[in-house]
Amino acid sequence: PKEGRVRVLRGGQALGEVRLPLRGVSSPAEFGEALASALEAELGVTLPFKLYYTDEEGDTVQVNAHTELRELALSTSVTAKVMEAAADRAAIGGKRGKRGGGRFVSR
């Protein structure tokens, strides 16, 4: 696929969908950082988010250090769940995408 489509949720409510070109993206961390930029530009969302995809068995899986970019690219569904309040931010415990303090939470 040439682009990834990501459904965006906040508090269980759909905020919209973002399309990301996959050209030049080489890892899930880069995908997450590109998504963070697109969320801000297209939907005005600047809060941290967690990223989930549907695997080959139909299970919803959170993106983690073992996720490969092809799993996201070939998934039937990719969802970004925007975190709500300070309590959610405390729950992430400082584990974020590779690029200095990004909003993509990888656990």
Side-chain angles (χ1 to χ4, degrees):
K2 294 183 180 184
E3 70 177 12
R5 294 184 338 181
V6 180
R7 187 172 58 133
V8 183
L9 302 175
R10 182 175 180 187
Q13 299 292 320
L15 295 179
E17 183 176 276
V18 175
R19 293 174 184 251
L20 295 174
L22 295 177
R23 187 175 190 167
V25 175
S26 61
S27 70
E30 286 182 13
F31 185 91
E33 292 298 324
L35 178 58
S37 295
L39 287 175
E40 185 170 0
E42 295 180 30
L43 301 176
V45 173
T46 59
L47 294 171
F49 61 90
K50 293 184 180 184
L51 197 55
Y52 299 84
Y53 69 98
T54 303
D55 68 9
E56 325 57 67
E57 289 89 32
D59 296 325
T60 299
V61 180
Q62 185 175 350
V63 173
N64 60 51
H66 303 288
T67 304
E68 295 183 18
L69 182 60
R70 67 176 175 75
E71 292 174 297
L72 294 174
L74 298 176
S75 177
T76 57
S77 175
V78 179
T79 303
K81 293 184 180 178
V82 177
M83 299 174 75
E84 290 287 333
D88 288 337
R89 290 187 197 150
I92 64 176
K95 291 200 175 190
R96 297 175 185 255
K98 291 185 179 182
R99 294 201 177 114
R103 293 187 309 275
F104 166 53
V105 180
S106 60
R107 71 165 181 149

